[in-house]
Amino acid sequence: MHRLASSVALTAALLLISGCSTGGTPIDGGPAGSTPSPQSSATATPTEDTAEGTTEERAPEQGMVTPADFERATAVRVVRHLAGVIGPREATGRAYARAARWVQGELEGMGYDVARQRFDVPAGESWGVPVPAGRSVNVVATPVGFDPARPHLVVGAHLDTVPQAPGAEDNASGVGVLLAVAEAVAQRRTRLPVVLVAFGAEEPRGPGDDDHHYGSRHYAAELGRRERAAVRAMVSLDRVGVGATVPVGSATSSDPVQRSLLAAARSAGVRAVAVAEQRSSDHWSFVRAGLPAARLGSTSYAAYHSAADVPAVVQPEQLARAGRVVLAWLAPRQPSAG
C-alpha cells in the first residue's frame, strides 16, 4: 500500500461544471446506520484487473454488495456532524484534528484497521484567508488482512475545508458517502478489496497546481513499486450532495475509470454526466502519479467556499445517488442479460 510514518503504522495499514439543481430535500437528520465488522479482504472477489474491469462474468452470490445497500441516513448523519457540530476544518487546525479523530473512530467502530498518515503543509492563502504552516493527516482504513501488494481499489474524500466554510457540500458530503460506503462493504463482497481514505489538505493554499491536494499527493508518493502496481483504480468523492445528476469527471478527455463509473451509474439507475478535463480534486494526484483515477461530484452551488455551506444545502437523495454509483462500481461483476 504505502509507506506510512513508521513501519508499525505500515503494518497496521496492511491490512464546476453542470448547472446547479435545486431538486431534492435539504438534510433534516436521520438515524445512524448499523456498523458491522468488515470482511477480511481475502473474501473479496478478485476479478478486476484493469480500471474498466474484465469481461469475466460471475453468477450472483449471497453477500455481494449492491447499490441498495447504501444507507442514506449514515451519510446525512456524517454531514450534520462534520458541518453542523465541528464546522470549518482548515487542514492544520484543531477542528480538523477533531474531525480526523472522529472519522477514525467511525471507521474503527466498523471494524477496519485504521492508520494515520501525517504530512507537512506550507503556509499560504486559502480562498482569500491566510493559513499557517503545520501538519495534517490522512485517515486510511483497510479491511482486516489487507495486502497492499495485491490488486485493490481506493475510494477517497477530502475532510478539510477552506477556513471560512463549515463545508457541508465541500466536502462533508463526500466524507458522508465515504463512510456510508465503508459501512455497506464492511461485511459484503466487493470485486476487489477497498481502501478508504479521508484526505487532508485538499483545499488550496495558493493559486498554482502544486498548492492543492497535499494529502492525496503524499499518499500517492508514499506508494512503493508493488503497491503502485496494485492500485487498479481510485475514485474521489468531492461535492456529491447537490444536484439531480451525478457528474463523473476525468482528468483528460475520457479514461477507463470514468467509463466504468458511468457504466456503474447506468446499472444502478442513476443519471450521470461525463465531465472532461476535471482536475480540481484528489483524483488528480493519482493521475499525475501515473495511476488510474476519476472524480464523482462538482455541481455548481451558490454557497461554495462560504459560511453558507451548511447542512441544509445538501440534498439527501443526491448523497444516495452518488453512493449507489460507488457501490455499483465496487460490486462483483454480474452476468449480462441474454
Side-chain angles (χ1 to χ4, degrees):
M1 179 181 136
H2 37 268
R3 297 187 296 274
L4 298 178
S6 69
S7 60
V8 173
L10 175 58
T11 302
L14 283 177
L15 345 109
L16 293 149
I17 100 135
S18 60
C20 180
S21 169
T22 58
T25 304
I27 281 182
D28 57 2
S34 60
T35 55
S37 299
Q39 61 180 12
S40 166
S41 61
T43 64
T45 308
T47 61
E48 179 79 354
D49 293 324
T50 69
E52 284 192 276
T54 77
T55 57
E56 178 179 349
E57 297 178 350
R58 298 180 61 87
E61 299 178 38
Q62 186 175 10
M64 295 189 310
V65 72
T66 71
D69 294 318
F70 186 83
E71 291 289 345
R72 182 173 69 177
T74 297
V76 168
R77 176 176 64 86
V78 174
V79 171
R80 288 177 61 87
H81 185 82
L82 291 176
V85 176
I86 297 179
R89 304 174 297 283
E90 189 278 316
T92 63
R94 292 182 179 179
Y96 180 84
R98 179 184 172 192
R101 288 192 300 269
W102 185 80
V103 168
Q104 178 176 352
E106 291 287 301
L107 290 163
E108 289 175 341
M110 297 175 194
Y112 289 94
D113 290 335
V114 183
R116 296 168 68 86
Q117 192 179 51
R118 294 177 175 85
F119 53 93
D120 294 326
V121 183
E125 185 175 290
S126 185
W127 219 248
V129 179
V131 288
R135 301 204 86 193
S136 193
V137 63
N138 296 329
V139 179
V140 183
T142 55
V144 174
F146 174 70
D147 180 353
R150 302 279 294 176
H152 62 274
L153 304 169
V154 179
V155 179
H158 76 86
L159 182 57
D160 64 309
T161 69
V162 294
Q164 64 270 46
E169 168 67 348
D170 190 11
N171 186 40
S173 66
V175 179
V177 171
L178 180 75
L179 290 183
V181 166
E183 179 182 80
V185 305
Q187 286 188 320
R188 298 176 179 89
R189 291 185 181 90
T190 52
R191 57 188 170 92
L192 284 177
V194 182
V195 177
L196 303 131
V197 188
F199 291 113
E202 185 272 348
E203 294 291 1
R205 303 177 89 81
D209 199 38
D210 290 334
D211 299 321
H212 294 228
H213 315 135
Y214 293 92
S216 53
R217 282 196 280 140
H218 181 80
Y219 183 98
E222 288 293 292
L223 295 170
R225 180 181 59 82
R226 295 180 65 203
E227 295 153 1
R228 285 174 52 85
V231 176
R232 290 297 185 258
M234 180 270 184
V235 171
S236 175
L237 304 172
D238 194 349
R239 292 174 40 213
V240 294
V242 170
T245 63
V246 176
V248 182
S250 167
T252 57
S253 59
S254 178
D255 64 61
V257 185
Q258 181 191 50
R259 292 193 293 271
S260 67
L261 286 165
L262 291 168
R266 289 191 295 271
S267 71
V270 174
R271 291 174 58 202
V273 57
V275 181
E277 307 296 334
Q278 170 58 267
R279 299 176 180 178
S280 56
S281 189
D282 286 311
H283 69 296
W284 177 227
S285 298
F286 286 74
V287 174
R288 289 176 73 182
L291 299 169
R295 172 186 180 173
L296 291 187
S298 76
T299 300
S300 298
Y301 69 114
Y304 177 65
H305 280 189
S306 79
D309 191 4
V310 296
V313 167
V314 175
Q315 301 159 1
E317 184 52 39
Q318 183 70 347
L319 296 174
R321 292 185 190 103
R324 291 197 296 266
V325 171
V326 176
L327 291 184
W329 185 72
L330 295 175
R333 299 307 188 194
Q334 296 291 318
S336 58

